[in-house]
Amino acid sequence: MRFMIIRKADAYTEAEDLPTPELFAQMGAYMEEMNKAGILLGGDGLQPSRKGARIAFKAGTPTVIDGPFTETKELVAGYTLIEVASLADAIAWMKKWPPLDGDGNVQLEIRQLYEAEDFGDAFTPEERAREDRLRADLTNRNH
């Protein structure tokens, strides 16, 4: 099962304070541990919302809203992708999150990714072939 771990934004991540060398070391060791365990699929931090934008659609018409965004509890500061056997395993790994991040006050959200099997008959053989081609293209592009 694949899971996305969403690191929620907070005043620290929105302030764009760079991590300390100690936090870099803790986070690097943590990511390395997940990589050695064979569960890490990817992950990155995101720059503050003031450097971003939102696109809102009303009746199909887009409106661009420039950052920053005031409600940080709705923002994402980063993500990690892992593949483990169960939600319990994902939770166990996230309990090891580096304690220096956010001065120990971090909120993580764990969400399972959909797999082709989850869609039943709606995911036709043609759609599966298209998905396989897209994934192959992404793999080739990233290597």
Side-chain angles (χ1 to χ4, degrees):
M1 300 175 161
R2 294 179 304 151
F3 292 89
M4 175 179 272
I5 313 314
I6 301 165
R7 200 296 195 181
K8 298 292 190 153
D10 54 31
Y12 174 79
T13 60
E14 282 296 291
E16 197 177 8
D17 292 336
L18 294 177
T20 64
E22 295 82 11
L23 177 54
F24 268 123
Q26 274 190 6
M27 190 60 74
Y30 177 62
M31 299 300 269
E32 190 172 275
E33 181 183 1
M34 288 192 295
N35 191 46
K36 285 181 181 175
I39 69 164
L40 183 65
L41 300 177
D44 282 298
L46 302 175
Q47 295 205 12
S49 69
R50 74 172 176 276
K51 294 183 175 185
R54 288 183 176 163
I55 312 295
F57 290 84
K58 186 168 184 167
T61 302
T63 301
V64 176
I65 303 126
D66 293 325
F69 308 116
T70 57
E71 190 54 60
T72 60
K73 69 181 180 184
E74 296 177 8
L75 297 177
V76 175
Y79 71 95
T80 304
L81 292 173
I82 61 173
E83 187 166 10
V84 292
S86 67
L87 176 59
D89 289 343
I91 291 169
W93 275 100
M94 291 311 106
K95 284 182 173 181
K96 298 178 181 184
W97 195 263
L100 285 179
D101 187 20
D103 293 327
N105 298 307
V106 170
Q107 185 177 5
L108 302 175
E109 181 177 334
I110 302 172
R111 303 280 300 276
Q112 186 174 347
L113 277 65
Y114 277 109
E115 302 294 344
E117 307 78 52
D118 297 326
F119 296 108
D121 292 340
F123 198 63
T124 65
E126 295 79 18
E127 289 303 323
R128 181 179 290 277
R130 182 191 344 224
E131 179 77 13
D132 290 345
R133 282 192 310 275
L134 287 170
R135 287 186 187 272
D137 287 349
L138 286 171
T139 299
N140 291 334
R141 188 176 327 144
N142 291 325
H143 286 109

